[in-house]
């Protein structure tokens, strides 16, 4: 029943909701089939302990890693999910994913394999129905599963199911397990009925049942649900079973909403908003994630909330990611602000906010702190005395000491009387349309401009302007962007450089003193100072639009520069503002930065933590009496309380989601410290990775390096969280991966994964050493065999030469004795004795020299001369034998092989000269030629042709063994390492008539020193 005081309760709740639960607008993103979901109808969502988000749809299961969806669908092979219609998801204590899809499917994360338990009508120990709607775990082996026909107890160790006879009031199409106490009880709901099941007694009792309810939630001892009333209207209702009464928490919510709680708060999602209730079911905040023009007919099927405040909503038209609320909020058109392009902000002494815009009137919000707390007050326009009440670009608003205001616009300066609520005067200088700033000085104001005159004084009398023509300034600035009066009363001017204004003689002789130069001495950037604030009595902060900011010490007149190198996300600054703790806040073109003025450390806050972006405007910021900070932008006014800003540290894990070898997945969910082993033919691989922070994954920056392969770390291009490697040689590597959100403090994370490319057997060290040993042993054997063969061959040749030399003895003896016989018979006794004496000397030479390899050249010549003389006794006349030796040859040092030239001398005498019998001439010429001895044996005999004819007529031909000895002797020495192409050549000589005139033999023989 509904109590009679229902109307009062509802009114109090509504008022409480309006004043306390003020809406906050959150960013959101919709995921559908176009983004990779297998289907747009998302029945269930689960975030696992590793950080991945799982989506169960009516056509497949998907895992989201912030970069892409990995889809699991039923396949014909055994290793796949059992069905495609997924209605239940659960992660057990082992980290495995249990899926309700045509039975129960368990994905074993470590192996990547599926284990399916299907319904079998013939087996009572199988799952009672293929349609599973809820899963939970009691202990390591016992699970509780709600199927379409009841509650099942599943024993993982045995693989057996038991359907409990609980006699549910209706067939199960929707269910939810609210709570389990191991060994004690289980609380669950089916449609409009809430059950309490005692595990010990195996009995179920109905806690609550009402057919008008749907989407039940059991929270803080209350039953909450969406109830359909008699007029077919749907309201969010709480039922107190102790008081037996209902309380309407939210009216006219429709039937498509979804309830869930995180233990501390109850959340209700419907239409375009999420309403949070505390444990007393008081509404404490409303989060709006869609505009009023968005589709509100979506049915919500599942909801989860991450630890960082991100909501995931499963709907019939996709999954919606709702970004977490931020400490930073915005006043824009949704809050009633008529114009979002803000150019000027001022807080007056009564804590009223005055707003100047780019085009339009000015605006006033009375008591801005009250407005920010409840948003109940209206925003009043302040119309200018111009057509339509508008002006172009209100650049500055200044409160005077008397409470009146000065509006500095592009084209004129206006005086506004706050009590009378009217403009009293306007002033402008012809051809000057760029007024940008103003400060109050005794008797009037100073106005700064971008055009000349860039600095001039206006006196104010009776709320009217009058230009002070006595105002003089030394070193007048070329341009004035901003002016600031610090807490000690000193005046500072910002332009191209920072200046201190030193007034003299009531500003009749003003000096502008340079404090910071217009060009940085460090990086030669322009110092364009658009915003100035002070930290304390001695320190100023001056912000530039090109070069970060400076801290200026008034005592020492020294300054220090800070920029991106010190932690800023950009050097383009818009406004500097000091909070109540003395810290400085900087609006930039990429983020909001807090400067700790004790150590000048910088904390950056992402501008995407709400609806606003980087379009902050210049020198546009104020602090309220309650210490809220407000910054103007092109999208409204961003505001926050510095004490409420928490550090944006994220603990989202970093994983290598997939390892692919030749585009085949061989590893998933690889984390810090893991080791990857690859075969030698798996050295073409890629790695996909992500930091599991899903708020704004596109803002995450990655840097990677395959240590021992990459020379230096590399950065990943935007939205491409993958890297590929090709033909990586065998070895041990470390894949080092770092992620960071630049706009958040301490978000940097690094993981290191060992990666080993194993070598093929032929690439291993033992194989190479073995092959090297075999090659070395083979080489040594070949060298030894060749050496041994050469030794044996040399010995054989020497034996052959010695044998040939032994054959010359009877040859010489026969020829010489024949000559002596002829001499004795035809000559005197004295001549015969002389001939015999020469013969004996010749034989002694032969016996001595035939045992030697080399003899001096002079002894060889003596031997050849004796031989020719002895041989002449067989002829009718003495042979005219002449020997010519090159004078450069030392005949005693140069040695030649014995018996080399003698055979050619013998051949010339026997075959060339002896048939001629008279006028016999024989010459031997020896000269040095390219490390050889060139020997020429020439005779004037009958020639080789006629000699061959005579030889053929003899009964027994004589073969010249001597020439064969000489030839082989030369070849033997050449084979020992000394080389010429031809050892000797024979040339026939002819006269002009063609008659033979003898033979010439050319020899090239080796020698030694």
């Amino acid at each position: 029943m509904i109590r009679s005081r229902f109307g009062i309760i509802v009114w109090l709740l509504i008022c409480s909701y309006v004043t306390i639960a003020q809406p906050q607008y959150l960013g959101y993103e919709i995921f559908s089939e176009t983004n990779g979901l297998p289907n747009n109808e998302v029945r269930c969502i689960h975030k696992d302990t590793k950080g991945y988000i799982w989506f169960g749809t009516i056509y497949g299961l998907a895992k989201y890693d912030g970069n892409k969806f990995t889809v699991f669908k039923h396949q014909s092979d055994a290793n796949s999910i059992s069905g495609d219609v997924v209605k239940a998801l659960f992660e057990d204590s082992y980290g495995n994913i249990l899926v309700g899809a045509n039975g129960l499917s368990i994905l074993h994360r470590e192996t990547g394999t599926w284990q399916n338990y299907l319904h079998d009508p013939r087996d009572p120990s199988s799952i009672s129905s293929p349609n599973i709607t809820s899963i939970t775990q009691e202990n390591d082996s016992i699970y509780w599963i709600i199927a379409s026909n009841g509650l099942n107890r599943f024993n993982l160790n045995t693989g057996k199911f038991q359907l409990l006879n609980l006699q549910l009031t209706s067939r199960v199409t929707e269910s939810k397990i609210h709570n389990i106490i191991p060994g004690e009880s289980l609380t669950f709901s089916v449609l409009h009925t809430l059950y309490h099941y005692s595990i010990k007694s195996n009995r179920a009792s109905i806690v609550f049942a009402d057919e008008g309810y749907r989407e039940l939630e059991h929270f803080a001892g209350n039953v909450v649900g969406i109830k359909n009333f008699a007029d077919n209207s749907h309201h969010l209702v709480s039922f107190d079973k102790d008081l037996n009464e209902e309380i309407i928490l939210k009216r006219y919510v429709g039937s498509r909403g979804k309830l869930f709680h995180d233990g501390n708060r109850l959340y209700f999602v419907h239409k375009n908003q999420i309403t949070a209730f505390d444990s007393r079911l008081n509404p404490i905040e409303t989060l709006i994630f869609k505009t009023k023009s968005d589709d509100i007919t979506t049915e919500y099927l599942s909801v989860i909330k991450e630890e960082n405040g991100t909501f995931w909503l499963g709907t019939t038209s996709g999954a919606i990611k709702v970004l977490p609320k931020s400490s930073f909020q915005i006043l824009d058109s949704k809050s009633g602000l008529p114009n979002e392009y803000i150019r000027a902000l001022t807080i007056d002494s009564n804590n009223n906010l005055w707003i100047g815009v780019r085009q339009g009137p000015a605006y006033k919000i009375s008591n801005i702190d009250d407005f920010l707390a409840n948003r109940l007050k209206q925003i009043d326009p302040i119309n200018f005395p111009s057509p339509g009440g508008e002006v172009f670009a209100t650049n500055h608003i200044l409160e005077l000491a008397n409470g009146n205001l000065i509006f500095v616009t592009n084209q004129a300066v206006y005086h506004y009387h706050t009590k009378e609520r009217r403009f009293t005067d306007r002033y402008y200088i012809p051809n000057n349309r760029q007024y940008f700033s103003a400060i109050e000085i005794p008797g009037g104001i100073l106005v700064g401009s971008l055009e000349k005159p860039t600095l001039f004084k206006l006196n104010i009398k009776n709320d009217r302007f009058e230009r002070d023509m006595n105002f003089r300034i030394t070193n007048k600035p070329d341009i004035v962007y901003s002016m600031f009066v610090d807490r000690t009363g000193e005046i500072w001017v910002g332009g191209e450089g920072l200046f201190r204004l030193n007034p003299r003689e009531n500003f009749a002789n003003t000096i502008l003193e340079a404090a910071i130069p217009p060009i940085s001495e460090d990086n030669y950037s322009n110092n364009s100072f658009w915003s100035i604030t002070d930290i304390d009595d001695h320190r100023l902060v001056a912000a530039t639009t090109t070069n970060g900011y400076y801290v200026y010490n008034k005592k020492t007149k020294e300054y220090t520069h800070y920029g991106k190198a010190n932690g800023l996300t950009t050097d383009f600054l818009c406004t500097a503002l000091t909070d109540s703790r003395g810290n400085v806040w900087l609006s930039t073109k990429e983020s909001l930065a807090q400067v700790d003025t004790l150590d000048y450390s910088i904390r950056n806050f992402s501008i995407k933590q709400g609806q606003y972006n980087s379009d902050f405007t210049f020198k546009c910021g104020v602090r309220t009496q309650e210490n809220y900070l407000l910054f103007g932008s092109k999208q409204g006014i961003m505001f926050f309380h510095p004490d409420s800003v928490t550090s944006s540290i994220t603990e989202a894990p970093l994983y290598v989601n997939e390892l692919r070898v030749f585009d085949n997945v061989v590893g998933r969910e690889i984390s810090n410290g893991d080791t990857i082993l690859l075969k030698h033919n798996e050295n073409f691989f890629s790695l996909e990775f992500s930091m599991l922070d899903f708020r704004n994954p596109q803002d995450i920056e990655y840097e990677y390096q395959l240590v021992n392969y990459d020379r230096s770390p590399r950065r990943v291009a935007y939205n491409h969280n993958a890297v590929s490697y090709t033909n990586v040689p065998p070895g041990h590597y470390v894949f080092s991966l770092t992620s960071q959100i630049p706009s958040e403090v301490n978000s940097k994370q690094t993981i290191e994964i060992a990666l080993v490319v194993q070598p093929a057997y032929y690439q291993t060290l033992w194989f190479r050493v073995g092959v090297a040993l075999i090659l070395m042993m083979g080489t040594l054997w070949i060298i030894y065999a060749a050496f041994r063969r050469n030794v044996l061959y040399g010995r054989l040749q020497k034996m052959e030469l010695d044998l040939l030399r032994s054959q010359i003895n009877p040859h010489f003896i026969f020829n010489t004795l024949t000559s002596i016989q002829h001499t004795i018979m035809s000559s005197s006794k004295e001549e015969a004795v002389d001939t015999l004496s020469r013969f004996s000397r010749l034989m002694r030479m032969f016996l001595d020299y035939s045992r030697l390899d080399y003899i001096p050249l002079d002894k060889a010549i003596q031997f050849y001369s004796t031989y020719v003389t002895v041989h002449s006794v067989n002829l009718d006349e003495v042979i005219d034998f002449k020997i010519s030796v090159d004078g450069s040859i030392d005949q005693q040092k140069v040695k030649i092989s014995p018996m080399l030239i003698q055979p050619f001398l013998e051949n010339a005498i026997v075959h060339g000269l002896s048939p001629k019998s008279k006028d016999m001439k024989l010459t031997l010429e020896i000269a040095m030629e390219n490390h050889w001895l060139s020997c020429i044996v020439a005779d004037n005999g009958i020639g080789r042709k006629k000699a061959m004819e005579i030889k053929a007529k003899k009964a027994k031909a004589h073969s010249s063994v001597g020439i064969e000895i000489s030839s082989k002797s030369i070849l033997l020495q050449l084979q020992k390492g000394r080389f010429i192409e031809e050892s000797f050549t024979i040339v026939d000589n002819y006269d002009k008539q063609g008659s033979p005139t003898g033979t010439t033999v050319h020899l090239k023989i080796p020698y030694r020193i």
Side-chain angles (χ1 to χ4, degrees), residues 782-792:
I782 292 172
I783 293 173
Y784 171 74
F787 175 76
R788 190 167 180 272
R789 183 172 62 251
N790 290 338
V791 171
L792 293 176

Side-chain angles (χ1 to χ4, degrees), residues 72 125 140 172 224 256 280 288 429 492 550 700 842 929:
F72 303 86
S125 65
D140 290 344
V172 180
V224 182
R256 300 174 183 269
R280 296 183 179 181
I288 298 175
I429 299 175
W492 302 88
Y550 288 82
I700 303 173
L842 179 63
E929 181 181 339

Side-chain angles (χ1 to χ4, degrees), residues 561-590:
H561 173 254
Y562 298 89
K564 290 185 68 175
N566 304 99
L568 286 175
T569 59
T570 177
D571 285 328
F572 197 136
L573 310 185
C574 299
T575 303
L577 200 59
T578 306
D579 65 20
S580 59
R581 298 180 183 271
N583 295 321
V584 174
W585 293 80
L586 303 169
S587 63
T588 79
K589 280 301 180 182
E590 291 187 4

Side-chain angles (χ1 to χ4, degrees), residues 388-559:
E390 297 184 354
V391 296
F392 178 75
T394 300
N395 297 318
H396 188 75
I397 303 174
L398 171 67
E399 184 188 22
L400 301 176
N402 59 11
N404 293 332
L405 298 177
I406 300 297
F407 289 85
V408 180
T409 73
N410 255 34
Q411 298 183 352
V413 179
Y414 293 85
H415 182 278
Y416 182 77
H417 198 291
T418 54
K419 291 183 178 181
E420 297 179 2
R421 299 181 181 181
R422 65 184 182 88
F423 287 94
T424 61
D425 198 10
R426 181 183 69 165
Y427 182 87
Y428 67 92
I429 299 175
N431 301 322
N432 190 329
R433 294 294 186 265
Q434 291 289 323
Y435 308 114
F436 254 73
S437 58
I439 59 172
E440 185 176 13
I441 60 175
I445 62 173
L446 281 182
V447 179
S449 174
L450 306 187
E451 297 179 351
K452 294 181 179 180
T454 57
L455 196 61
F456 59 92
K457 181 184 176 184
L458 294 179
N459 295 325
I460 302 176
K461 188 175 182 180
N462 298 325
D463 300 331
R464 296 286 181 175
F465 292 124
E466 178 181 324
R467 185 175 177 184
D468 187 348
M469 303 307 294
N470 294 322
F471 174 75
R472 296 288 185 271
I473 183 169
T474 304
N475 302 326
K476 185 176 292 186
D478 293 332
I479 196 168
V480 174
Y481 300 125
S482 60
M483 290 190 290
F484 177 72
V485 180
D486 67 22
R487 64 189 66 190
T488 64
E490 291 189 84
I491 300 173
W492 302 88
V493 177
E496 294 301 320
L498 179 67
F499 304 90
R500 176 181 175 272
L501 194 121
N502 185 7
R504 293 182 180 180
E505 302 173 10
N506 196 24
F507 292 89
N509 185 16
T510 302
I511 298 176
L512 203 63
E513 300 172 349
I516 301 177
I519 304 294
S520 170
E521 303 96 326
D522 297 328
N523 54 25
Y524 303 104
S525 296
N526 289 337
N527 288 327
S528 302
F529 291 98
W530 279 81
S531 183
I532 309 168
T533 188
D534 53 359
I535 301 172
D536 48 37
D537 290 347
H538 308 296
R539 292 180 295 169
L540 294 177
V541 170
T544 78
T545 56
T546 53
N547 198 29
Y549 71 94
Y550 288 82
V551 175
Y552 181 80
N553 191 309
K554 296 194 297 181
K555 277 188 174 182
T556 63
K557 296 185 178 180
E558 296 177 345
Y559 53 87

Side-chain angles (χ1 to χ4, degrees), residues 362-382:
Y363 299 94
K364 175 188 175 183
I365 301 178
S366 300
N367 199 334
I368 182 60
D369 286 319
D370 286 347
F371 180 86
L372 296 178
N374 52 53
R375 315 267 181 101
L376 294 178
K377 297 182 178 181
Q378 66 181 11
I379 301 174
D380 299 319
I382 308 296

Side-chain angles (χ1 to χ4, degrees), residues 761-781:
Y761 72 90
Y762 53 81
Q763 294 175 313
T764 58
L765 179 61
W766 63 265
F767 179 83
R768 294 176 179 176
V769 171
V771 170
L773 288 175
I774 292 173
L775 291 176
M776 184 173 65
M777 293 176 64
T779 302
L780 291 175
W781 173 255

Side-chain angles (χ1 to χ4, degrees), residues 49-75:
T49 53
K50 290 186 176 182
Y52 295 96
I53 305 290
W54 297 79
F55 298 89
T57 76
I58 61 171
Y59 192 51
L61 174 69
K63 181 183 74 172
Y64 182 61
D65 59 23
N67 186 40
K68 71 172 187 177
F69 290 91
T70 301
V71 176
F72 303 86
K73 288 188 177 182
H74 176 65
Q75 306 294 334

